Amino acid sequence: MSDKPTAVRVYLARVRTALADLPASEIEEILEDVRPHLAELEAELGEGARVEALIERLGTPESYAAELRASGGYPPAAEGATQVLTTAKAPSLAKPRIAFWGLVLCAVALALFAFGAAVRVDPSGLLGAVLFLPVFVISLLLLLRGGVEPVLALPEVVWLRQALAKGREQEDSGKAMSYLASLKPAWWILCAVVLIAFGLLLMLRSRSAVLLLPFLLLAGVAAVWAGPRVRGDRRLLWLAVPISAFVIGGILGGFGAAVDLISHGRSYTSSPSYYPSSDRYGNEQLTYGGAEVENVYAFDADGKPLTEVYLYDEQGRPLTLTRYGCERSSGTKEKIGADNRFPRPKIEQGVTDDQGNYNGYNGYRSACREDAGVPFSAAIPKVTVPPSPSSAPTSSSAPATPTPTK
């Protein structure tokens, strides 16, 4: 058996030196709490791990000791113990702060976009998350260049860790936090299941969501892999936190969609009926048999389509729906008003090329067309009205008057 000290023992010795101003019993308690974590990290790094590898993951033993002081609510080290450290120039907090708040901003944005996409069961609601991709990339690059230690030393992060430490000391909140911590392994598995289920659900609504499914599968694998390793490597928070935020937003949005579906389902009758709902502009829409009705076509008795038809309900209220048209400059479908006049032109969206060919092979510019024609013909059944009894001949009901003869 070799007497050469291991990396953990060397690292802990320096941590003990940095905590030397604390009572011996307190030092032993602190070291007992962190020793299993360091041993686990050393095992992960492999046999023969060096102290430099632990410093790369956790920072210097002196800074790690400062973290332990802050998380445990202990006072800072005495001036004599820190005068060597304070002679160096204070590092700038700008880059660590950008890395930290970039992570927070991206996590909140992902939660909101996931919530919106789940409520509407529409994958297009996730497109806005692309706008936050540069923020996340910058935050991650700053983390990788500066390390996680400057981020953990930020005043706001220190305050947050102290608040969590105080919460663990309380009886009720401490039990709740301990219980939640015990659920961490199950949480990462749940994240993977929710991400895959979310992708499959979106595919049922839109075929284009099949492009999103590989990313959700990759995120699920990343959650299962990175989640249990966050404690040993805080850099993995930049992977675990956004995934967790996305899953939480998706779960809440899915719950809202389920409540909305149940409430609407109770309003439907067994026979087809009209039921008003609201579109994104707040105007009522019509559904028939559970499907949304966007247009209404009317025909006369000879099967001729009618135009300029105005619809009202039995109380004389106009059935006003949002009217859409083509926005010429952008070639997109836009709202142009709201009325009860039918039928509406059919809005077709496509692309044009440099020669103005609609949906041509080299089309790239958005285009929009309005088709005012009727897309089908209607065969109106002929109804034969039986003659009423009052229209029968009267000759049989009264005798004829005889003609006098001379």
Side-chain angles (χ1 to χ4, degrees):
M1 180 176 178
S2 175
D3 294 333
K4 183 179 179 180
T6 63
V8 170
R9 291 173 59 186
V10 175
Y11 193 92
L12 284 177
R14 292 176 58 179
V15 172
R16 182 190 297 273
T17 302
L19 299 174
D21 58 307
L22 298 179
S25 59
E26 298 290 340
I27 296 176
E28 290 302 326
E29 184 177 349
I30 294 174
L31 295 182
E32 284 298 323
D33 289 339
V34 301
R35 186 175 284 110
H37 170 50
L38 293 177
E40 179 182 347
L41 183 57
E42 185 182 36
E44 181 182 340
L45 294 174
E47 186 177 356
R50 300 176 60 86
V51 178
E52 289 76 9
L54 291 177
I55 293 177
E56 183 180 353
R57 289 288 191 93
L58 303 175
T60 64
E62 290 74 20
S63 60
Y64 188 65
E67 286 185 45
L68 296 176
R69 289 176 181 272
S71 62
Y74 296 103
E79 183 176 354
T82 58
Q83 59 184 2
V84 176
L85 299 177
T86 56
T87 56
K89 183 179 178 180
S92 174
L93 298 180
K95 293 181 179 180
R97 186 159 281 146
I98 293 175
F100 172 71
W101 286 107
L103 170 65
V104 173
L105 179 62
C106 291
V108 173
L110 281 177
L112 293 177
F113 285 119
F115 178 83
V119 167
R120 297 191 300 268
V121 196
D122 184 4
S124 62
L126 299 175
L127 295 177
V130 180
L131 300 176
F132 291 86
L133 182 60
V135 178
F136 178 76
V137 172
I138 293 174
S139 174
L140 185 60
L141 289 177
L142 292 176
L143 170 75
L144 297 177
R145 290 183 179 181
V148 72
E149 181 59 32
V151 177
L152 296 177
L154 289 172
E156 52 266 42
V157 178
V158 172
W159 175 87
L160 178 60
R161 299 179 70 176
Q162 289 177 347
L164 292 175
K166 291 180 180 179
R168 294 189 186 97
E169 296 175 358
Q170 304 296 327
E171 183 177 358
D172 295 336
S173 59
K175 290 181 179 179
M177 295 175 69
S178 299
Y179 176 73
L180 292 177
S182 66
L183 297 179
K184 283 183 180 180
W187 167 251
W188 302 119
I189 297 176
L190 177 63
C191 285
V193 173
V194 170
L195 288 170
I196 296 174
F198 188 52
L200 295 176
L201 179 62
L202 293 179
M203 284 179 56
L204 295 177
R205 183 66 179 268
S206 174
R207 293 182 179 179
S208 61
V210 69
L211 302 176
L212 182 65
L213 187 58
F215 295 97
L216 295 177
L217 289 172
L218 183 61
V221 173
V224 175
W225 175 81
R229 294 173 170 83
V230 167
R231 186 175 181 180
D233 188 354
R234 295 297 182 182
R235 294 175 298 180
L236 294 178
L237 286 171
W238 271 250
L239 185 62
V241 170
I243 292 176
S244 296
F246 185 90
V247 170
I248 292 173
I251 292 176
L252 295 177
F255 179 76
V259 171
D260 182 68
L261 180 63
I262 293 174
S263 62
H264 281 183
R266 291 176 179 175
S267 301
Y268 296 138
T269 59
S270 57
S271 59
S273 61
Y274 284 99
Y275 177 82
S277 59
S278 297
D279 61 11
R280 58 176 177 165
Y281 297 105
N283 297 319
E284 289 186 342
Q285 290 289 66
L286 294 179
T287 60
Y288 184 74
E292 182 177 321
V293 177
E294 296 183 354
N295 211 342
V296 176
Y297 297 92
F299 297 83
D300 63 11
D302 296 326
K304 180 180 179 181
L306 303 178
T307 58
E308 300 295 326
V309 176
Y310 294 84
L311 300 184
Y312 296 84
D313 65 7
E314 69 278 3
Q315 299 180 10
R317 297 175 299 182
L319 301 182
T320 302
L321 307 181
T322 300
R323 177 177 289 272
Y324 296 94
C326 290
E327 209 287 318
R328 302 301 178 185
S329 60
S330 62
T332 58
K333 177 181 176 182
E334 299 289 343
K335 174 189 175 182
I336 60 175
D339 55 46
N340 65 327
R341 178 166 53 91
F342 296 90
R344 285 33 182 340
K346 182 181 179 182
I347 308 299
E348 297 180 354
Q349 292 185 271
V351 293
T352 57
D353 55 19
D354 293 332
Q355 286 73 39
N357 298 318
Y358 188 77
N359 282 346
Y361 178 74
N362 296 320
Y364 66 93
R365 186 185 299 112
S366 297
C368 183
R369 297 194 307 187
E370 298 182 11
D371 184 2
V374 179
F376 59 90
S377 59
I380 308 299
K382 299 297 183 180
V383 179
T384 302
V385 180
S388 61
S390 60
S391 62
T394 57
S395 56
S396 60
S397 60
T401 304
T403 300
T405 58
K406 295 183 178 179

